[in-house]
Amino acid sequence: MASPPSSFPHLALIGAGITSLTLSIRLSALQIPHTIYEQSSSLTELGAGLSFGPNAVRALQHIDSRFVDVFNKTATFVGTPSSQGKRILEDEEEWREGDQVWIEFLDGTKQGGDVTPEFVIKAGNGKGHAAVHRGKWLDVLGGLVTAEIQFGKRLVDVVRPDGVKRWVKMVFGDGTEVEADAVVGCDGVKSRVREVLVEALHGEGEGRTNGKCGYSGKYAYRCLVPWDKAVEAVGEDRVGVSSLWMGPNRHLLTFPVNRQEERFLNLVAFVTDQSQTWPSQGPASLTMPATKMDALKDFERAGFSDTWGLHDVADRPLSSFFSDRIIVIGDAAHASTPHHGSGAGFCMEDVAILGALFEEAIAHKALTVNTLQEIFTVFDAHRRERDQWLVNSSRRAADLYQWRIPEFSGQERFEKMKADIEQRQKVCWDFDMESAIERAERDLKELLDTATR
Ligand SMILES: Cc1cc2nc3c(=O)[nH]c(=O)nc-3n(C[C@H](O)[C@H](O)[C@H](O)COP(=O)(O)OP(=O)(O)OC[C@H]3O[C@@H](n4cnc5c(N)ncnc54)[C@H](O)[C@@H]3O)c2cc1C
């Protein structure tokens, strides 16, 4: 393979999560030099299942054609409705042979082990609810990454002192410093790059306040239940399909997920508690140890481990995803609560658009340090509104599941809820990736033409 033009910028990707690794695979295919810096000592993913909507799968397809096959082999697809779910769809004349279900919604306050859903939402693809085991997916991505990953590198600061060879200098917790032409913050919900960006956009002191994500007032218990135990508890018919039990200030989501050859029921139990704050610093800043008793107290039945404080940027949206040569993507840009099952999917959309913009610049022989501004400008214009929509809508979805919206009460509660949730999921799933890429490429071409005129 011929070496890339020496004029290509060298990028520093901060973090080695799903967003960063996927972007790295795309950048390597375009021969764009980059290095990944990760604070942990290895690739690590906490937690269990990650559902991917049709928009996420389409984005993956655009990023790298190998992903389709890899995804189909790695994901667990469940779409056959439970017998009660199918009956509901038939009664509503919504059932067509071969239809697949996304989630069946149940009233969690019903007594006597009744597992009849109140309503059912069909899947936006032909395959049902698709989920990957997080750790397994990260391993798959890690296996495709060819760029250098430097572990044990916790980014502390990004500075631009006089006399540096490249544009940015990164300072890490171990005291080392590295230069690059631009920094791409893929450092997730508690992003340090977002803080640095907010300082650059709004002035000193702003990053430590407005650059931070906030506690959403909700926390979650997550665990993988061995398949046999799950079947024993609620029956094969119910565990075989994604199910969401609703209730006042609580909801519980289950879906099957495979790890290696073993099948588990992924279970996430969400609680609203706005009376509490969540520690903003230290090891408990995302998760806190929890006992089975804590979960039992919250839910009165079932068993869980670890509590996750759900953080997002609903209250502190970014006014721009970039400033000069510092850009954020993925959760670093739009950390969201997980109630549309789409956070990672939107991260994949980000990567698809950013990758397409780099490719377009290369096609115009215009990828240099000087055109990063144009690329980042178009990325921001095409992603920020949609990404922030997810953050806000996801909060609303949780309030729907937890009966926190006064208009959604009485006789028609479930009917209204179904319509609202369905419409929101459509916004997530029906994203036209192809046209979005075309529009972004066209805008970049115009900007590049203007810049060189
Ligand atoms: C309970 C829960 C359930 C979810 N379920 C779903 C779902 O079903 N479907 C879905 O699409 N999304 C879901 N999400 C959202 C999804 O997990 C995220 O959108 C996705 O993981 C974000 O990926 P990322 O790579 O941008 O960030 P992350 O995965 O957070 O990766 C960031 C990386 O950066 C590293 N890092 C952080 N700070 C630094 C630093 N200063 N220096 C160097 N490295 C650093 C971290 O160690 C980490 O490796 C869920 C989220 C939660 C909390």
Side-chain angles (χ1 to χ4, degrees):
M1 199 188 281
S3 13
S6 56
S7 57
F8 276 13
H10 189 109
L11 308 178
L13 272 51
I14 308 300
I18 290 168
T19 305
S20 174
L21 298 185
T22 314
L23 178 64
S24 170
I25 292 164
R26 181 72 162 118
L27 293 176
S28 295
L30 295 170
Q31 292 193 282
I32 299 173
H34 62 282
T35 309
I36 303 172
Y37 301 94
E38 164 61 41
Q39 63 181 4
S40 309
S41 54
S42 62
L43 294 182
T44 39
E45 258 290 359
L46 289 169
L50 194 62
S51 51
F52 270 18
N55 57 316
V57 179
R58 275 197 301 277
L60 285 174
Q61 221 162 345
H62 279 277
I63 295 164
D64 191 317
S65 56
R66 288 174 298 177
F67 277 140
V68 183
D69 199 33
V70 173
F71 181 78
N72 284 336
K73 282 191 184 129
T74 314
T76 310
F77 294 93
V78 285
T80 308
S82 67
S83 45
Q84 305 102 319
K86 187 173 173 207
R87 208 170 311 126
I88 285 176
L89 288 170
E90 282 170 343
D91 288 350
E92 290 170 355
E93 298 187 357
E94 274 198 49
W95 176 253
R96 311 273 171 282
E97 210 47 52
D99 274 354
Q100 301 286 306
V101 159
W102 176 54
I103 294 180
E104 297 191 359
F105 291 78
L106 298 95
D107 179 346
T109 64
K110 271 190 181 167
Q111 300 296 313
D114 185 352
V115 288
T116 311
E118 300 304 322
F119 60 90
V120 178
I121 295 191
K122 290 200 283 185
N125 58 9
K127 290 180 160 184
H129 184 275
V132 288
H133 181 271
R134 280 173 181 266
K136 200 166 153 186
W137 187 244
L138 208 70
D139 286 347
V140 165
L141 294 177
L144 295 171
V145 168
T146 52
E148 183 192 3
I149 308 180
Q150 291 196 17
F151 290 104
K153 293 287 177 191
R154 182 176 56 84
L155 181 86
V156 177
D157 213 350
V158 182
V159 287
R160 195 195 172 189
D162 292 337
V164 291
K165 214 167 93 213
R166 296 195 184 268
W167 197 88
V168 285
K169 188 163 86 173
M170 288 152 296
V171 183
F172 294 101
D174 61 2
T176 55
E177 297 180 346
V178 181
E179 292 174 15
D181 291 314
V183 175
V184 187
C186 314
D187 47 344
V189 56
K190 296 252 162 171
S191 170
R192 174 65 188 133
V193 182
R194 189 193 312 125
E195 292 176 16
V196 172
L197 170 64
V198 169
E199 298 266 321
L201 290 168
H202 303 293
E204 217 172 304
E206 286 291 311
R208 295 273 174 200
T209 50
N210 290 327
K212 288 196 183 299
C213 60
Y215 173 52
S216 68
K218 291 184 170 54
Y219 57 84
Y221 298 95
R222 305 203 291 178
C223 67
L224 287 176
V225 182
W227 194 251
D228 292 350
K229 273 195 161 184
V231 171
E232 204 182 302
V234 280
E236 185 103 42
D237 202 32
R238 176 54 46 217
V239 291
V241 63
S242 311
S243 307
L244 191 148
W245 278 264
M246 305 171 288
N249 297 317
R250 308 275 186 277
H251 77 276
L252 190 148
L253 172 70
T254 65
F255 57 84
V257 64
N258 294 334
R259 187 173 58 186
Q260 274 80 42
E261 297 314 311
E262 238 177 316
R263 181 165 252 218
F264 291 88
L265 190 70
N266 182 61
L267 192 152
V268 198
F270 299 90
V271 178
T272 293
D273 185 354
Q274 284 163 336
S275 66
Q276 285 188 30
T277 52
W278 199 268
S280 60
Q281 302 288 334
S285 64
L286 276 182
T287 60
M288 285 206 280
T291 64
K292 211 171 181 175
M293 282 317 289
D294 294 328
L296 286 171
K297 224 164 59 196
D298 274 333
F299 276 85
E300 304 217 316
R301 44 192 177 133
F304 307 90
S305 62
D306 263 14
T307 339
W308 282 65
L310 299 175
H311 292 72
D312 66 14
V313 291
D315 300 326
R316 295 169 196 146
L318 286 173
S319 61
S320 170
F321 280 178
F322 82 103
S323 170
D324 288 341
R325 309 273 188 86
I326 301 171
I327 186 167
V328 283
I329 75 167
D331 269 19
H334 46 83
S336 169
T337 53
H339 309 297
H340 280 308
S342 287
F346 276 52
C347 297
M348 295 305 100
E349 291 182 12
D350 287 353
V351 174
I353 296 285
L354 190 57
L357 291 172
F358 278 124
E359 188 169 16
E360 182 70 10
I362 294 171
H364 290 275
K365 300 199 175 5
L367 180 62
T368 68
V369 287
N370 298 322
T371 52
L372 287 173
Q373 280 300 293
E374 280 77 13
I375 292 171
F376 294 171
T377 300
V378 178
F379 175 79
D380 177 63
H382 284 260
R383 289 306 304 164
R384 193 155 38 85
E385 191 181 332
R386 177 167 164 82
D387 284 336
Q388 192 62 34
W389 172 87
L390 177 73
V391 177
N392 301 336
S393 183
S394 177
R395 275 205 182 190
R396 161 93 180 176
D399 285 342
L400 281 166
Y401 305 155
Q402 299 192 354
W403 302 352
R404 293 171 55 80
I405 297 178
E407 314 89 91
F408 290 74
S409 56
Q411 288 277 306
E412 293 166 337
R413 167 188 271 165
F414 295 125
E415 209 177 299
K416 283 186 182 165
M417 278 175 65
K418 181 185 180 196
D420 195 312
I421 296 165
E422 228 161 20
Q423 181 268 330
R424 285 166 194 281
Q425 284 307 136
K426 269 180 165 299
V427 177
C428 296
W429 293 340
D430 294 353
F431 184 61
D432 186 347
M433 194 78 240
E434 195 97 4
S435 318
I437 287 179
E438 272 171 28
R439 284 197 307 275
E441 286 173 345
R442 191 196 53 220
D443 286 358
L444 178 64
K445 185 174 174 307
E446 269 174 32
L447 266 190
L448 292 174
D449 287 348
T450 317
T452 51
R453 216 174 277 148

